[in-house]
Amino acid sequence: MQSSSNLFPVALISAERRGDLSEDIYRLKPGNSPDSTVELAVTRLGMADEPAARGVPVILLHGSFSNRRFWFSPKGLGLGAHLTRLGFDVWIPEMRGHGLSRRNEDYRRNRVADYARYDLPAIAAFVREQSGQVPHWIGHSLGGITLAAALGGEYLGEPAVASAAFFGTQVSRTYWPLKIPPVEWSGRFILKRFAQLSGSRLKRGPEDEPIGLALESMRWYGLFGRFGDKDKDWWAGLADVKVPVLAVSAAGDHQDPAWACRKLYEQIGSETKQFINLGREQGFSENFGHVEMLVSKAAQADVWPLVARWLADQQTPLVGEKPDLAAAV
């Protein structure tokens, strides 16, 4: 089969109509990481009756235990569908072993470091090739962490990122037991016996997560841990990020609290950046939760319009007279 890209092997594996939307699914085989079996599924949404009408590209990154359905349901609902109907060119990748992305040979050792160093740059290159434009990026939870790692590690930069939006994203919450070396060592010993964490058993979502991801996060939160890998300090690198940034927390999010999300925001060096905390005190209809901040009827009314406004204009404050007035932590 002829490749859909001049960059690396890409196959169009599905082309369907979903109501008023078109859904094209590509399978990318970048071959740029040590594991040559990695394949990434990327869904492109468009208007079914206007296939040539493609606007500014937006890449949506799902969080842990999740897949593309976080952004786009089979019934054509979700932020991805909403942005498509507004004229944006929406792309939804699925990380290694999630959704339509097959599990690679070394699946159990997959880490954010791999997603950030290899997968996101390949996705960025493909989207730029197909759209002819620099994409905006939106990440939720682990998707945002991966985006932050890619920016802080300089695996992605201005040639591949028009702006970056982080929803429920933080790496500063303290897990005190992990600061005790024997506890961390015992946890690692136990976790290494497993290949994956089950999203359904843990009631966290429809997908599993590789154990490598859990071991990596334990290192971040350990006694002398840092947000980075052995080669680079991603946290320090965030201070050099120049692209426009939007950071959004949720007042009812106990998993990734507002104060921790704000620390990530403050570390980013961009001159153009805004922070918003979604809660009643800030004028929103409710104190949003970790998932509800993007997937709920209230989010459709309160949050989705903010996202669209951000993508159209990163200079104008979304809430209040100044960007920081949106934050109450």
Side-chain angles (χ1 to χ4, degrees):
M1 179 181 294
Q2 185 175 3
S3 176
S4 301
S5 170
N6 293 318
L7 300 168
F8 38 72
V10 175
L12 177 63
I13 60 174
S14 176
E16 301 288 344
R17 182 177 183 128
R18 305 294 183 189
D20 60 331
L21 302 179
S22 64
E23 177 193 61
D24 297 335
I25 303 175
Y26 296 89
R27 179 169 291 144
L28 284 57
K29 193 167 184 178
N32 63 342
S33 69
D35 187 343
S36 62
T37 66
V38 171
E39 296 183 356
L40 303 170
V42 181
T43 298
R44 187 183 197 181
L45 300 181
M47 299 304 300
D49 295 326
E50 302 176 68
R54 301 283 190 179
V56 177
V58 182
I59 299 174
L60 306 178
L61 301 176
H62 63 76
S64 59
F65 302 103
S66 188
N67 54 42
R68 67 192 177 117
R69 293 307 182 195
F70 182 85
W71 304 107
F72 172 62
S73 77
K75 295 183 179 180
L77 303 175
L79 178 60
H82 175 72
L83 294 177
T84 303
R85 294 184 177 109
L86 291 179
F88 292 98
D89 184 10
V90 175
W91 298 78
I92 310 175
E94 293 178 289
M95 293 299 98
R96 303 178 180 197
H98 293 73
L100 298 175
S101 294
R102 297 170 179 169
R103 291 195 178 189
N104 53 304
E105 186 175 287
D106 209 17
Y107 167 80
R108 74 183 310 274
R109 292 187 175 87
N110 287 342
R111 305 165 301 156
V112 165
D114 301 312
Y115 303 160
R117 183 188 294 267
Y118 305 115
D119 300 349
L120 263 57
I123 293 164
F126 179 63
V127 171
R128 284 197 66 188
E129 178 196 45
Q130 297 298 309
S131 68
Q133 300 183 67
V134 179
H136 297 269
W137 295 71
I138 298 175
H140 175 252
S141 194
L142 184 62
I145 290 175
T146 302
L147 179 57
L151 290 171
E154 299 183 321
Y155 311 124
L156 286 180
E158 291 183 75
V161 182
S163 74
F166 303 93
F167 282 78
T169 301
Q170 62 84 27
V171 290
S172 298
R173 186 177 176 183
T174 301
Y175 299 90
W176 290 111
L178 295 179
K179 302 293 185 183
I180 304 173
V183 175
E184 182 191 0
W185 299 336
S186 299
R188 285 180 172 277
F189 177 77
I190 294 172
L191 287 176
K192 285 181 178 179
R193 300 172 60 188
F194 300 91
Q196 65 203 32
L197 297 176
S198 171
S200 57
R201 289 185 180 181
L202 295 173
K203 298 182 179 180
R204 295 291 302 276
E207 300 284 341
D208 299 334
E209 290 296 340
I211 208 65
L213 209 65
L215 295 171
E216 181 184 42
S217 63
M218 288 183 69
R219 180 175 53 77
W220 295 344
Y221 296 116
L223 182 58
F224 300 109
R226 68 174 189 181
F227 181 55
D229 60 11
K230 64 180 181 179
D231 298 319
K232 289 192 175 183
D233 185 337
W234 305 332
W235 182 260
L238 288 172
D240 297 323
V241 172
K242 304 302 181 186
V243 300
V245 165
L246 172 65
V248 182
S249 62
D253 187 350
H254 303 293
Q255 174 179 323
D256 296 300
W259 67 265
C261 294
R262 186 171 178 83
K263 285 194 71 174
L264 180 75
Y265 161 81
E266 291 173 342
Q267 178 63 16
I268 296 173
S270 304
E271 293 184 4
T272 303
K273 61 180 183 178
Q274 301 187 42
F275 184 89
I276 297 175
N277 188 34
L278 301 172
R280 292 191 180 94
E281 290 186 7
Q282 293 74 53
F284 295 96
S285 61
E286 63 179 63
N287 290 330
F288 286 88
H290 185 67
V291 172
E292 292 77 16
M293 68 192 308
L294 286 167
V295 183
S296 65
K297 289 185 177 179
Q300 183 174 351
D302 287 5
V303 184
W304 294 3
L306 290 180
V307 175
R309 283 166 52 195
W310 165 260
L311 293 172
D313 176 12
Q314 293 85 52
Q315 303 298 321
T316 303
L318 297 175
V319 179
E321 297 179 358
K322 297 181 181 180
D324 280 355
L325 293 180
V329 296

